[in-house]
Amino acid sequence: MPNKDQGFTLVELLITLALLAIVANIAVPAFDGLITRNRQQALMEQVASVLNNARAEAILQRRMIEVCGSSDGKTCSASWSSGWLVRTSDHRILQLTQLPSHDALRWSGFQQGIRFHNNGSSPISNGRFYQCHEQKVAWQLVLNRQGRLRQATAAENTDKAPLCSP
């Protein structure tokens, strides 16, 4: 007759814990990479959404809308890493976005900010947004003079890798 008070031995429990530790040691780095890629994708989509909405607002309101980097949340600056402002030509703020410290958004263009005219174009505001990760370009959004936005290809990201050099 089997014993009903039977349980795991100490050796079986230690082996099970060792196997779980090995599996966790393999899974955690992969999970960390997934979280990083998801954050990068979310920032790219957030930037694209803001720019598309600002362009649409310029067309609908028939007035210039400016999107610019802002480190203090009140005035425009050359740095986009802390966040950005969306404002009208009379400096009325329509939207303020502040970024967490790990997002490090960068802008490379002819001007510090982007100005969408009442027809949706941005003739002197073309350029590219990008985010660096491990000295490589993780993603790029390219803004053309017509105010249209597109995601850069992997080859373009590789070509622009020197932008992320220290």
Side-chain angles (χ1 to χ4, degrees):
M1 201 158 167
N3 185 0
K4 292 182 181 180
D5 295 332
Q6 195 173 19
F8 294 112
T9 65
L10 182 60
V11 172
E12 291 172 331
L13 187 60
L14 288 175
I15 290 173
T16 303
L17 288 175
L19 289 174
L20 283 174
I22 291 169
V23 169
N25 211 11
I26 293 170
V28 168
F31 189 66
D32 188 42
L34 177 68
I35 290 172
T36 300
R37 284 188 302 279
N38 283 345
R39 283 186 180 148
Q40 292 168 350
Q41 182 73 21
L43 178 61
M44 183 184 70
E45 289 173 2
Q46 185 178 17
V47 171
S49 175
V50 165
L51 292 174
N52 287 327
N53 288 339
R55 182 175 187 245
E57 195 70 21
I59 295 168
L60 291 173
Q61 289 188 14
R62 295 195 168 278
R63 64 189 308 183
M64 188 194 69
I65 300 291
E66 182 179 21
V67 183
C68 59
S70 179
S71 54
D72 63 1
K74 297 175 184 169
T75 59
C76 289
S77 68
S79 174
W80 290 77
S81 61
S82 298
W84 57 80
L85 293 172
V86 178
R87 64 185 189 177
T88 60
S89 55
D90 59 356
H91 300 288
R92 185 173 52 95
I93 296 175
L94 300 175
Q95 182 182 358
L96 166 65
T97 303
Q98 294 181 319
L99 297 175
S101 60
H102 57 75
D103 282 340
L105 176 65
R106 298 181 188 182
W107 164 253
S108 174
F110 291 111
Q111 292 187 329
Q112 292 179 8
I114 300 164
R115 290 190 177 125
F116 290 105
H117 294 269
N118 61 1
N119 63 359
S121 66
S122 58
I124 56 173
S125 298
N126 58 325
R128 61 187 68 235
F129 283 99
Y130 61 97
Q131 186 179 24
C132 296
H133 179 68
E134 296 178 354
Q135 297 183 354
K136 295 179 184 174
V137 175
W139 58 264
Q140 290 184 82
L141 289 175
V142 181
L143 182 68
N144 68 17
R145 294 182 339 179
Q146 289 77 32
R148 295 194 178 117
L149 200 60
R150 70 172 177 85
Q151 186 175 352
T153 64
E156 288 175 302
N157 291 343
T158 302
D159 289 344
K160 294 293 182 178
L163 291 173
C164 297
S165 298

